[in-house]
């Protein structure tokens, strides 16, 4: 409002006209965009936990993660990348310290979490499929199983429900000209 008023004042003094957007309309559009982004700023996660309770050896998790193509970064998190090297999903210790290389020997974890930042991915459904396949392979290798946030084993019905939610979210983003993984999405969902 102050910038508009200043522009109008300057234009009047220069015997000119200032074409300024309607501040109330711009504020309403900004509030609507903010509300949409708050609802769309989601991460999708699945967890791998041991079948018989207890814990998973961190060295076994590391070996499986690396065999599945995930890279352990200095922050103690494993990342999967796309062909261009961009991170597309992560694998982290579910509720403990990061996976620092020098501390893995003798370390056990109660579970691991795979997660993806939904609006920042150009092909989120393919990333979801890859993340889920990787989680299943890791679960098989460490004798665990894949569960949701409530520690309920994921079945095909739940997986398809999540795929549907992702498809709906991506369609809603595109309807607002926010292309998932595009420059605007990366700015809005940083």
């Amino acid at each position: 409002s102050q910038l508009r008023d200043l522009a109008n004042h300057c234009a009047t003094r220069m015997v000119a006209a200032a074409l300024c957007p309607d501040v109330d309309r711009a504020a309403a559009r900004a509030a609507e965009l903010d509300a949409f982004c708050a609802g769309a700023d989601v991460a999708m996660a699945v967890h791998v936990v041991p079948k018989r309770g207890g814990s998973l050896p961190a060295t076994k998790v590391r070996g499986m993660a690396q065999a599945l193509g995930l890279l352990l970064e200095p922050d103690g998190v494993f990342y999967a990348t796309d062909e261009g090297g961009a991170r597309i999903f992560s694998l982290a210790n579910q509720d403990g310290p990061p996976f620092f290389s020098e501390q893995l020997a003798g370390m056990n974890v109660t579970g691991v979490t795979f997660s993806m930042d939904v609006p920042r991915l150009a092909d989120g459904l393919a990333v979801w499929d890859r993340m889920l396949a990787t989680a299943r392979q890791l679960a098989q290798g460490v004798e665990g199983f894949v569960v949701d946030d409530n520690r309920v084993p994921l079945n095909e019905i739940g997986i398809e429900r999540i795929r549907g939610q992702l498809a709906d979210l991506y369609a809603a983003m595109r309807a607002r000209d926010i292309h998932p993984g595009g420059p605007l999405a990366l700015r809005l969902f940083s």
Side-chain angles (χ1 to χ4, degrees):
S1 294
Q2 290 175 342
L3 180 61
R4 180 202 56 201
D5 293 346
L6 180 60
N8 283 330
H9 177 73
C10 288
T12 301
R13 292 189 68 178
M14 297 171 27
V15 190
L19 299 175
C20 301
D22 180 86
V23 173
D24 292 333
R25 208 167 98 208
R29 284 183 30 225
E32 187 274 329
L33 177 62
D34 185 57
F36 172 76
C37 289
D41 193 9
V42 297
M44 197 60 65
V46 295
H47 314 277
V48 174
V49 296
K51 284 184 179 176
R52 295 173 191 81
S55 59
L56 305 169
T59 53
K60 192 168 188 177
V61 171
R62 176 185 57 191
M64 286 295 305
Q66 290 173 335
L68 293 167
L70 281 76
L71 304 172
L72 181 58
E73 296 288 337
D75 64 356
V77 177
F78 291 91
Y79 293 96
T81 58
D82 63 14
E83 308 79 39
R87 295 174 176 174
I88 55 174
F89 66 85
S90 64
L91 165 66
N93 188 354
Q94 185 175 8
D95 51 15
F99 290 113
F100 294 126
S101 293
E102 61 277 358
Q103 297 170 348
L104 290 178
M107 179 180 171
N108 290 307
V109 298
T110 58
V112 295
T113 299
F114 286 84
S115 65
M116 58 185 263
D117 195 358
V118 175
R120 296 179 56 82
L121 298 168
D123 194 358
L125 292 174
V127 172
W128 164 252
D129 291 339
R130 180 175 164 195
M131 185 177 80
L132 183 61
T134 304
R136 285 175 164 167
Q137 289 175 299
L138 186 117
Q140 185 177 10
V142 298
E143 298 180 24
F145 54 101
V146 181
V147 298
D148 64 15
D149 288 337
N150 298 314
R151 295 182 81 86
V152 174
L154 271 178
N155 59 26
E156 292 307 315
I157 294 170
I159 291 166
E160 285 308 310
R161 183 179 43 82
I162 292 169
R163 276 188 120 266
Q165 291 170 343
L166 289 172
D168 291 348
L169 177 59
Y170 288 131
M173 287 178 68
R174 287 185 187 96
R176 288 173 173 75
D177 287 327
I178 303 170
H179 300 283
L184 180 58
L186 296 178
R187 280 196 348 253
L188 289 171
F189 301 100
S190 59

